[in-house]
Amino acid sequence: GTVGGALHGNSGSRAGDIGQWACRATVMTRAGDIVHRNREDLVFAYRQSSLDELVILSGEFQLEQDDPAQLTKRMQKQWIVKKAGQPLSHQNVACVFKNPRGMSAGMLIEQAGLKGTRVGGVEVSQRHANFIVAGEGASSQDVLRLVDLIRSRVAERLGVELETEIEIW
């Protein structure tokens, strides 16, 4: 990941998102102009932002000072929680789908019976169903086919349309 990608998609976790700390971004528009976007020009929401320019060149953040020992403890706790619930030891595509309002995409995928479902060299993680794990010989086409399968099966069985969190060009 990159800072630009994190700003564009307003990356975050249960602890918050990057948009809450952003105070300025420098972007290049499709016309090639360099523009500075200040906090009042920026809009952040769940996994999205108003930064839809061609290139995000830089970001500036206003952070809060805190005790280094307390920060370290908080980060260690978050890492332990993530490590316990996500397939971090494998190659994966990260969280694939946005959580629909009030629901967990991973739980919906699991309820649709898709944990462990394979397409080519990729499969839905056994640990967290909103992760796709890449194995030997995996291809981007395998990922795209599995994403389509998950979306259609969840819609068919549970009546929920999943929206991808990853951007597919």
Side-chain angles (χ1 to χ4, degrees):
T2 65
V3 171
L7 282 167
H8 176 74
N10 195 24
S11 294
S13 67
R14 289 187 180 112
D17 55 55
I18 197 168
Q20 72 192 70
W21 307 108
C23 58
R24 183 179 170 133
T26 303
V27 300
M28 181 189 306
T29 66
R30 293 189 187 284
D33 300 322
I34 305 297
V35 179
H36 302 286
R37 303 253 187 247
N38 294 315
R39 179 65 202 172
E40 56 272 8
D41 303 321
L42 302 173
V43 178
F44 294 96
Y46 176 68
R47 299 301 178 258
Q48 61 185 1
S49 76
S50 58
L51 291 166
D52 56 0
E53 282 81 4
L54 185 59
V55 179
I56 298 172
L57 299 170
S58 67
E60 293 178 30
F61 305 92
Q62 180 67 47
L63 305 177
E64 295 174 358
Q65 193 166 352
D66 203 345
D67 175 54
Q70 291 299 318
L71 283 172
T72 300
K73 283 182 184 177
R74 221 169 43 230
M75 295 303 293
Q76 287 172 335
K77 182 178 178 184
Q78 287 178 8
W79 177 250
I80 290 167
V81 170
K82 266 190 187 281
K83 193 170 182 180
Q86 297 177 3
L88 299 176
S89 63
H90 297 89
Q91 290 183 312
N92 63 68
V93 178
C95 280
V96 179
F97 298 99
K98 294 179 182 179
N99 289 323
R101 177 156 291 168
M103 294 183 261
S104 160
M107 194 60 69
L108 292 168
I109 296 165
E110 187 173 344
Q111 288 173 358
L114 294 169
K115 265 190 170 181
T117 300
R118 293 188 69 85
V119 171
V122 298
E123 73 175 299
V124 176
S125 172
Q126 292 285 358
R127 182 175 258 182
H128 188 307
N130 198 16
F131 282 79
I132 292 178
V133 178
E136 183 99 16
S139 72
S140 59
Q141 287 304 310
D142 293 341
V143 173
L144 295 174
R145 289 194 340 255
L146 185 54
V147 165
D148 287 342
L149 174 70
I150 293 167
R151 289 178 84 171
S152 64
R153 191 79 50 90
V154 168
E156 171 188 302
R157 293 186 179 172
L158 304 170
V160 177
E161 295 290 329
L162 291 178
E163 183 181 348
T164 57
E165 188 167 315
I166 56 174
E167 288 196 31
I168 302 169
W169 300 355

